[in-house]
Every structure is written in C-alpha cells, then in structure tokens.
Amino acid sequence: MVAASGPAPIPAAPRSRRLALGAIATGLLMVVLDGSIVTVAMPAIQDDLGFTPAGLSWVVNAYLIAFGSLLLLAGRLGDLIGRRRMFLAGTAAFTAASLLAGAATSPALLIAARFLQGIGSAMASAVGLGILVTLFTEPRERARAIAVFSFTGAAGASIGQVLGGVLTDALNWHWIFFINLPIGIAVLAIAVHVLPRDVGLGLGAGADVFGAVLVTAGLMLGIYTVVKVEEYGWTSGRTLGFGALAAVLLAAFLVRQTTARHPLMPLRIFRSRSVSAANLVQILMVAALFSFQILVALYLQKVLGYGAAGTGLAMLPAAAVIGAVSLGVSARLNARFGERNVLLAGIVLLIGVLALLSRVPVQASYAVDLLPVMLLAGGFGLALPALTALGMSGANEEDAGLASGLFNTTQQIGMALGVAVLSTLAASRTQSLAAGGRPAAEALTGGYRLAFAVGAGLLVIAFGVAFTMLRRPERRAAAEETAADTQAHTQAAVL
C-alpha cells in the first residue's frame, strides 16, 4: 500500500515499463498527428462545411486555446489526483471528441469538437512526461524513454501531414478524425493495465482553486489574443487591451502562488536553472520552427503547386531522419557529451535549416533546394530529447506532473507566438510585394523567406540562452563530481 504523499509505484517488470512507454508515446503521437493532420485537410473542410475564411481558422484556434491554457492545470491535478487517472481520462475524452469531430455536419459542431479535443489533449499530454520520469529512474533508461517520447513530438507533425494528405485524397476529411478512434481505444486498453496505480497527493495538498482560475483564464485569453493578431494587428486596441488583461491575470497568479497555502504551481520549480532555461529555449525554438512545420507546407502547395498527398510525401524525409537521430543516437550522445552540448549542436543544425529556407527560390528544385533542408531537420532529433531531459531535470517525484505540464505549456506558448509573429510577417511582406506589382508566386515566396529569416534569428537567440544559462550548472556538477571522486580516492588510500 502506497501512502498518498509518496511517489508512484513503479512496475517491476521491464516489459511493463516498455508497454507503458509505448502507450504514452502512442497517445502523444495521436495528439501531435491531430495537430498537423488538420492543416492539410483545411481546404476540403472549408468546401464541405461552408466555413468562411475567418471562421476556418477556428478549426485550429479552438484546439490550440483549450490545449495551451489547460496544460499547467492538468499537470498539477495529475500530481494531486493521480497521473494515471488523468492520462486515462484525457485519452478517453480526446477519443470521444474525435468521433464527434469526424461526424460534424456544421462549422459550429466541428469547432466545439475541436475545443473538446484540446481539453482531452491537455489532460493526457500534461502528465505523460511525469509518468515517464517516475517509471524510468536509471539515467540511460530514462534517456532512451525521453528519446522515444521526443521522437513522437518531433516527427509526428511530418507524419501527420503525410497521413492527412493520403486520407483526404483517398477518402475524405472526416477520416482525419476517425483515424483516432482505433488508436485511442488501443492506448486505453494497454494503458489501463500497465500504467502504475498512483493515488496522488490528494486535493488537500494543492487545491488552489482561485489560482487555477487565474492561470487558466490568463493563458486562455493570452493565447486567444496572440492567435488573433493576424486579423487585428499588434497595435489595435483589441490586441493591446486583451493582452494587458492577460498579463494582469498571469501576474496575479504568480503573486497568488507566493501567498497561497497550497499553491497550484510551487515556484520552487524555477529554482532549477536547467528547468527555467530549458522552458525559455523551448518557447524560442518552437516559435521559430513553426515556420518549418507549417510555412514549408504552404510554400509547397501555394508556390510549387503540390497536392495534399504530395506535400506530405515531400516532408517525409524530415520525419525519417528525425526518427533515425532521436531513436538511434540521441540517448548515447546525451550520455557521452551531456544534454547541453547536444542541444547546442541540434540548434546549430536547425539554424541551417531556416537559413537555407530564407533563400528558397520561386522555381525550386526539390532535390537541390528542399531535400538538404529535410535532411538537416535531423537537428530536431538532437535538440528535442536533450531539451526535454533538461526541462524535467529539476522536478522531484511530487512535482513531476507540474514540470511536465509546464514544459508542454511553454511549447504551446511558443507555437502560438510563432503563428502570430511569423504568419503576420509573411502576410505583410506578401501584401507589400503584391502591391508593388510582383507576381503572386514571387510575392508569396518573399513573405515566406522573411518568416524563415526571422525564425533563424529566434534560433540564434535560443542558442545564446542555452549557451549562457546552462553552462554554470554543468560546471558545478562537474566540479562536485570531481570533488566526490577525489574524496573517494583519498578514503581508499587511507584504508
């Protein structure tokens, strides 16, 4: 019998741990696939359901707002009521919402289903990493588990674009949601037997309801404001007013956490330099790489004339090389050179990706201009496992769900910022070039080039943050290890 305040029990059998890893990774893959699979099918959804151009954006925004705003709350609730329970409930909710989305016959119904999908995704994703770090405590095993987990996030987007194109062309857009049903049912069937039965700390250990309202409302309003920037502009009264209100709510939440008897997010988690730096790097990196995951697909379709399936297949080499790197070598490299150094190497490769894309021509050759970019995308496979390990490095077992939820929250904030900043810049540049008489394909390419260049700049900043903020802790750790070795040798010599 495990005490309510104790750590989650760990299955003794390695096979049980591997099955648990498989269930969690597959659940995450389903969520990631759903995020990217929709982008390829958007034109078909618009034609079938009669969405207006502005209304169509809510197929993505409804999901993003619910997902991003609830991750932190779901992560902490997982610590309190049990991470296994939260994962199962979230997976079930996401699967049921996928059925509703696939059967949608009106824009309103699809948007509501997407919002429910976002809630389920937040519940399941927020605690996934927390379960893994309590299951895999040995450093090498944990590194391999994180590599698998990171692969599903890094390569899942590209796989989703391939699958979305194939399903949309071969069947119809409804199947991009129906495909989640067998996957979700399989994940539930396995997870219910292999995930550790943790009872959680109990709601009395951190049920800060007022704090939960503040942070959820602040994140929801903030993400809504950011995703609507392209429509209203950065300096509009609506953007500035909602942005200021979101900032006030989040500031009030932080103040609340310093005074609450049972804070929802104990601020001690930020005492870890690695955790703080990793989350900041992630915001910058994800914001920059939105341009690769989304704008490259738009470039292939709108400029080069690729179809949905062709776009997915064109990006398949990126998924393959990311998988080979993250699953094949990332864990060994992290163990040998340290997560910080591997992260820096990965960011350098990703800077190369966006630097090459910032010079992409209007009449591009796939083999010459795009295939090298897809191969350099292996930097994802280096950077993400290392960054994930650093983001979870300062979490104890009681806060594992919180750290997991925080890491996923900063990922969504980065994505929302990427959508707002890079898509707005691309659209403005395209309009300016078109107004100057440039052909449509050339104007679009010019807009995408600007977004790629700005993304490369964000990655340069991310490199600087990682290089400076992550250096001292590693030096201290190395010094402590050297001191411990010296002491051990001294004691041995005395004996």
Side-chain angles (χ1 to χ4, degrees), residues 44 73 158 258 280 326 365 384-385 422 465:
L73 175 60
S158 298
T258 64
L280 179 56
S326 60
S365 164
L384 288 182
L422 298 183
V465 172

Side-chain angles (χ1 to χ4, degrees), residues 417-474:
L417 288 173
V419 170
V421 175
L422 298 183
S423 62
T424 300
L425 288 174
S428 298
R429 178 62 173 165
T430 296
Q431 291 172 3
S432 175
L433 291 173
R438 300 290 181 89
E442 187 176 339
L444 283 169
T445 303
Y448 295 144
R449 284 175 182 166
L450 176 60
F452 294 141
V454 173
L458 292 175
L459 286 175
V460 170
I461 298 173
F463 181 94
V465 172
F467 184 81
T468 55
M469 293 186 67
L470 294 174
R471 179 166 53 179
R472 290 183 180 178
E474 287 195 358

